Every structure is written in structure tokens, then in C-alpha cells.
Amino acid sequence: MKKVEHIGIAVKDIEDANNIFAKLFNQNHYKVEQVQSEGVITSFFKIGETKIELLQGTHQDSPIAKFISKRGEGIHHIAFEVTDIDSEMDRLKSEGFELINSEAKDGADNKKIFFVHPKTTNGVLIELCQEKSS
Ligand code: ZN
């Protein structure tokens, strides 16, 4: 794995959160993106090499809305950048990790992504991502 690509934070209201984090970082988010398939709206800040991704569910049954109703707002996942997402997927599977996705799928920010279930990673939801070549 190359680096921590971003940290995902689940929020109830992305506009409120954008204002709070803009004050915290002393800079504005650089993009907002909706991922229809995930029922999520995201915004991104860039701090050095690492991004912060704010996530708000767009409907009650979305994974983010469910996460917030169970655990409240807060850190939702840590994403690591990899160079070959398919081979990392095979490697983690063979190491016994439970993957949430059976194959890498399109995520926000021009990435292929998949998630590792937190029950096999000490309670931390892990995302692996690879920039799509386009
Ligand atoms: Zn993410």
C-alpha cells in the first residue's frame, strides 16, 4: 500500500460540516460529488498528501445514514491507495480478510474502490482505492 489516501468522516449535514472543516483547515473544500449507487454526497479537502472526505447519506437507508444512526457522526473509514487494486483484493482475501465488495467498483474522486469489513480489521472500516486511468 502506498499511503493513506483519505480519511472518511460521516456527517449529518454536509453544508454545516463543510463550514466547520473549512474553519478548522483554513481552506475550503475543493469539490462536492454525489455517488448515486452509494446514496452518498461527499466533499473533499486536501491537507498535504492526504484528503479528508466528508460523507452525508442522501436517504435513510444509505450506509452512511445507518452508520450515523447506530454510532453517531465521526470517523467512518480510512482509505489506502494501492497500485493494483485487483491483486490487493486477491491478496487480502487469501489472508482471510472479509471483503464487503466482491469486485472493485466506482467510487468518488475518480477511483476504483473496495471495502474490508470492520469485523476482520479491529472495528475499522478500511477502503482500498486506485486512481482510474482515464
Ligand atoms: Zn472513502
Side-chain angles (χ1 to χ4, degrees):
M1 293 186 193
K2 287 163 73 181
K3 64 173 188 186
V4 174
E5 212 281 333
H6 64 269
I7 296 169
I9 299 175
V11 303
K12 285 182 186 162
D13 184 316
I14 201 148
E15 284 183 25
D16 280 356
N18 277 336
N19 289 330
I20 290 165
F21 281 88
K23 264 187 232 162
L24 180 72
F25 299 141
N26 199 24
Q27 62 173 274
N28 288 320
H29 63 280
Y30 65 92
K31 77 163 146 186
V32 170
E33 195 178 337
Q34 190 156 350
V35 184
Q36 208 77 255
S37 59
E38 290 291 296
V40 74
I41 180 159
T42 65
S43 74
F44 286 88
F45 293 80
K46 193 156 199 244
I47 311 298
E49 284 269 280
T50 305
K51 296 167 190 163
I52 300 295
E53 175 185 35
L54 304 181
L55 306 121
Q56 182 209 301
T58 54
H59 56 85
Q60 298 245 303
D61 296 326
S62 65
I64 293 298
K66 283 186 186 159
F67 175 88
I68 289 174
S69 70
K70 247 196 263 173
R71 299 173 59 172
E73 294 181 296
I75 292 180
H76 177 259
H77 65 271
I78 302 176
F80 295 92
E81 185 176 3
V82 298
T83 41
D84 184 343
I85 198 161
D86 294 323
S87 75
E88 274 304 296
M89 196 166 214
D90 291 342
R91 186 181 71 81
L92 294 181
K93 244 187 269 175
S94 72
E95 293 283 5
F97 291 99
E98 186 180 319
L99 309 185
I100 292 177
N101 312 101
S102 55
E103 54 183 36
K105 59 177 185 170
D106 291 338
D109 201 30
N110 194 41
K111 298 278 196 304
K112 282 280 182 199
I113 66 166
F114 70 88
F115 288 98
V116 183
H117 200 287
K119 75 182 171 197
T120 52
T121 48
N122 299 75
V124 181
L125 178 62
I126 304 287
E127 174 185 336
L128 268 69
C129 62
Q130 179 183 1
E131 187 92 26
K132 279 195 269 182
S133 48
S134 59

